Amino acid sequence: MLGLSNALVHNALLDAWAVLVPVDCAGCAAPDRALCPACRGSLAPAPAWHQLPDGTPAVSGLDYAGTVRQVILAFKEKGRTDLARQLAAPLTVALEQIAPAAGRMPPELAPVPTSRASYRRRGYDPVAILVRRAGLSASRVLRHSRGTLEQKTLDMESRSRNLAGSLRAAYPLNGRSFILVDDVMTTGATLAEAARAIREAGAAVTAAVTVAHTARLIPGDSSSS
Ligand SMILES: [Zn+2]
């Protein structure tokens, strides 16, 4: 009986080890490398300026395509939190770029929180990990409003309709000033909703930064080719 339970523990440890120790490159699946040198090179920061739908200036650190996309997906959806260090670098560069435009220094950071459903699925909040890994401090000023759990079941049109009001400030923010932080910017609608929630709580939102952006989907974006 003791032997059987030891075997079970042993197998559980091996499973845990396989999860904890990455064996394939997150970018190209080359074996035995967490991130091979070539893929590491493609994460070199390439900051680009954008504008949220509400006019707020934003800077992203990378183009969300190819290797970058693979690495971010592995980080967000496959438990590869070991990639946070590599992805924190482009976020830091984006923040350095936007800081002069953001006014007050040092700025307060407001990370866009992961939804409750995503948190249950992943077991972690990717943006919170990135902020920590970048050596930055941030307040958890944003919360998901009740009802966002059902977002997943809605079609695209209903989703964008429901995005309005999906975030709220956790407490009054009178007189404070924030830079929003998120992982990937697509249309900028989520960041605009985050800005709306913070402004509604009495604070200013001067800028936004993301690790990456999807170039073609940002309305009015002229900074990326
Ligand atoms: Zn690779």
Side-chain angles (χ1 to χ4, degrees), residues 9 19 23 31 48 51 56-57 62 78 90 97 114 130 139 144 150 170 172 184 194 212 214:
V9 168
V19 169
V23 291
Q51 213 171 54
T56 305
L62 295 166
K78 296 177 188 169
Q97 292 272 316
T114 196
L130 285 174
S139 318
H144 282 272
E150 288 75 39
V184 179
T214 56

Side-chain angles (χ1 to χ4, degrees), residues 61-73:
L62 295 166
D63 283 342
Y64 187 70
T67 301
V68 169
R69 182 171 172 275
Q70 292 304 319
V71 171
I72 289 176
L73 282 174

Side-chain angles (χ1 to χ4, degrees), residues 38-193:
C39 289
R40 196 177 295 258
S42 64
L43 295 183
W49 285 79
H50 314 281
Q51 213 171 54
L52 303 187
D54 64 7
T56 305
V59 172
S60 60
L62 295 166
D63 283 342
Y64 187 70
T67 301
V68 169
R69 182 171 172 275
Q70 292 304 319
V71 171
I72 289 176
L73 282 174
F75 169 67
K76 286 180 69 175
E77 308 297 347
K78 296 177 188 169
R80 289 290 307 272
T81 51
D82 60 295
L83 299 164
R85 189 162 59 90
Q86 278 81 23
L87 293 173
L91 185 66
T92 303
V93 169
L95 200 54
E96 286 166 1
Q97 292 272 316
I98 202 118
R104 187 200 293 185
M105 289 293 290
E108 283 195 85
L109 301 182
V112 174
T114 196
S115 73
R116 287 174 212 156
S118 299
Y119 187 84
R120 273 207 306 273
R121 191 177 72 246
R122 296 172 179 140
Y124 56 96
D125 183 333
V127 179
I129 290 177
L130 285 174
V131 167
R132 270 203 306 277
R133 210 65 172 94
L136 304 165
S137 59
S139 318
R140 294 186 61 225
V141 294
L142 288 169
R143 298 277 190 275
H144 282 272
S145 303
R146 239 177 257 112
T148 50
L149 282 180
E150 288 75 39
Q151 284 278 85
K152 265 187 98 169
T153 63
L154 302 172
D155 61 28
M156 288 302 283
E157 198 185 312
S158 310
R159 274 191 200 208
S160 64
R161 233 186 0 254
N162 267 26
L163 193 59
S166 66
L167 292 170
R168 62 179 173 84
Y171 41 83
L173 302 171
N174 295 341
R176 293 166 69 174
S177 181
F178 291 92
I179 295 179
L180 301 171
V181 184
D182 206 358
D183 44 23
V184 179
M185 172 172 19
T186 49
T187 63
T190 301
L191 285 164
E193 165 60 12

Side-chain angles (χ1 to χ4, degrees), residues 24-30 33-40 67 71:
D24 292 343
C25 171
C28 68
R33 305 300 296 263
L35 193 63
C36 77
C39 289
R40 196 177 295 258
T67 301
V71 171

